[in-house]
Amino acid sequence: MENLSLQHITPGLQTNLIREIEEITKPIFLQPEIQLLDTGSYVHSVPLVLKGSIRVSRRDEDKELLLYYVQPGEVCIMSFNACCNNSASMIIATTIEPTTILLLPSSDLRKWLQEYPSLNTFIYAQFNNRYLDLIDTINQLIFSKLDERLLSYLESKNQLLNGEEIPVTHQQIAYDLGTAREVISRLMKKLEKEGKIIQGRNHIKYLSV
């Protein structure tokens, strides 16, 4: 797997488990904006990110809210839950940059959970991280002003993409933050005037201040 070694990305997993994963699944490269999962669909395999990132969101009618990102060495916990319970997906999962993943089949996951304690530890840690992400999202929704949430959102995206330009539209930001595009456009102009961002066509450069 070149620089995408599972042993390096997920050092806590047992060697035999890593060997089995590498035997049955191969890395899949995906372009940005590829939807892996939609609300209501059934999950037969769980993505484990080797490189890049996946955006996980929840949609209700015409509104969408960002829940969390799945980064290298992580699995999508909501997909894992739907997969193991044979229930319909409650989320949308979409790549936000060039991304390489492994798809872990549901039948093998159930077997590995019984055979390898390290996988249970790995999954529990992922659940804890996502729980903290969701608590942070709730706190921001309740206690933070929208302009503060927007700046925090752009800063997180900037860190996620290692300082590269953020390929996102005002409409996508509005979906992620659960507001209207017009509101985001107004706040973005304000941030640009303050010298905190530079806007281009369908991309934004976040400026460290």
Side-chain angles (χ1 to χ4, degrees), residues 98-109:
T99 300
T100 304
I101 65 170
L102 294 175
L103 289 176
L104 309 180
S106 58
S107 57
D108 292 289
L109 267 176

Side-chain angles (χ1 to χ4, degrees), residues 55 57-60 62-67 137 140-141 146 149-150 153 170-184 187:
R55 172 183 177 275
S57 60
R58 174 88 169 138
R59 181 182 294 156
D60 184 11
D62 61 338
K63 293 185 178 180
E64 191 172 334
L65 181 66
L66 171 67
L67 298 179
T137 297
Q140 289 199 35
L141 286 170
L146 185 56
R149 290 172 54 209
L150 174 58
Y153 169 90
H170 289 189
Q171 183 62 70
Q172 185 60 64
I173 297 173
Y175 280 144
D176 287 350
L177 298 182
T179 188
R181 181 188 59 78
E182 294 78 9
V183 175
I184 293 299
L187 290 175

Side-chain angles (χ1 to χ4, degrees), residues 36-37 42-47 54 56 68 70 75-87 89-93 106 109:
L36 297 171
L37 194 61
Y42 280 81
V43 184
H44 303 293
S45 57
V46 176
I54 296 172
V56 177
Y68 56 84
V70 186
V75 296
C76 177
I77 286 301
M78 295 292 284
S79 299
F80 173 84
N81 184 66
C83 184
C84 289
N85 289 295
N86 193 31
S87 59
S89 169
M90 298 176 64
I91 55 94
I92 302 165
S106 58
L109 267 176

Side-chain angles (χ1 to χ4, degrees), residues 148-166:
E148 295 173 344
R149 290 172 54 209
L150 174 58
L151 196 58
S152 176
Y153 169 90
L154 294 173
E155 184 177 6
S156 297
K157 282 268 194 178
N158 180 66
Q159 293 175 353
L160 194 66
L161 298 173
N162 298 313
E164 296 181 6
E165 290 182 342
I166 304 168

Side-chain angles (χ1 to χ4, degrees), residues 26-39:
K26 300 299 179 185
I28 299 171
F29 175 78
L30 301 169
Q31 295 289 349
E33 298 303 317
I34 298 297
Q35 186 171 294
L36 297 171
L37 194 61
D38 196 3
T39 305

